[in-house]
Amino acid sequence: NDDAVWDTASVSLNAFAGQTIYLLIEAADAAGASLVEAGIDDVEITAATAPSCVTYTSSNVPIGLPNDTNSINSQLTLASGATIADLDVNVNMAHAWVGDLSMVLTHQNTGTAVNIINRPGVPASTYGCSGDNILATLDDEAALPVENQCSSGTPTINGTFSPNGALSAFDGENSSGTWQLTVTDHY
């Protein structure tokens, strides 16, 4: 019974790190024949430490993908690392007819591989997106899938989109080691 006073409660949300959560705050009267009057004055969510984000860029790009070349690989080696909480991939590639392309990101040290782009526009169109160039961030939390992108402008895929395979497959892994992006032209 807290007559005319505010009550404070603290709850750890650590078990939900990296997830979307919703808070429901209810006032309940467990006793009979009484009046419940309740209000929310303030809700504050604080992080013990701010997460750190680090951007790594492959040093062996750009790499050409000339006609009659089936695939190319770009590698990035990280000497030290941290536990991955969320991974996004930035793709900046000049290529005619992006519907011919697939891209697989592999963490060589763990064997985890994710198909991040897989012939955008296929199977809606047998030949995929006929537009040129990709300038995109692939992020699991993005609303629109990269698979369905094919604008009339250049780059034809431009913005932030969810990848074909979930990048959350890498969550919990140590980021150190060799990462390889394999780009395949299916034409």
Side-chain angles (χ1 to χ4, degrees):
N1 185 9
D2 290 328
D3 292 335
V5 296
W6 293 103
D7 194 16
T8 302
S10 295
V11 178
S12 172
L13 302 175
N14 291 341
F16 305 101
Q19 301 176 40
T20 300
I21 62 171
Y22 300 92
L23 300 177
L24 173 64
I25 301 170
E26 293 181 337
D29 184 7
S34 63
L35 177 64
V36 173
E37 291 181 358
I40 307 266
D41 180 52
D42 191 19
V43 175
E44 180 179 341
I45 299 175
T46 57
T49 59
S52 63
C53 295
V54 180
T55 300
Y56 298 100
T57 303
S58 179
S59 61
N60 70 335
V61 292
I63 301 172
L65 183 61
N67 289 337
D68 299 324
T69 301
N70 184 310
S71 66
I72 56 173
N73 297 313
S74 174
Q75 290 190 338
L76 172 67
T77 301
L78 305 178
S80 63
T83 301
I84 298 170
D86 182 45
L87 180 70
D88 297 339
V89 176
N90 296 315
V91 176
N92 184 355
M93 183 171 187
H95 188 275
W97 205 292
V98 299
D100 290 341
L101 297 176
S102 67
M103 297 181 187
V104 176
L105 180 64
T106 305
H107 189 192
Q108 300 286 326
N109 295 55
T110 64
T112 305
V114 174
N115 190 323
I116 58 175
I117 294 178
N118 189 15
R119 303 195 64 204
V122 173
S125 163
T126 305
Y127 300 107
C129 177
S130 62
D132 299 342
N133 306 344
I134 300 172
L135 182 58
T137 298
L138 302 175
D139 179 350
D140 285 345
E141 290 75 38
L144 301 173
V146 71
E147 171 64 23
N148 298 338
Q149 304 310 308
C150 187
S151 75
S152 59
T154 302
T156 193
I157 299 177
N158 187 8
T160 300
F161 307 104
S162 59
N164 279 55
L167 291 167
S168 62
F170 299 110
D171 290 358
E173 292 185 3
N174 187 293
S175 62
S176 64
T178 302
W179 293 79
Q180 178 170 291
L181 180 66
T182 302
V183 180
T184 302
D185 187 344
H186 296 274
Y187 177 72

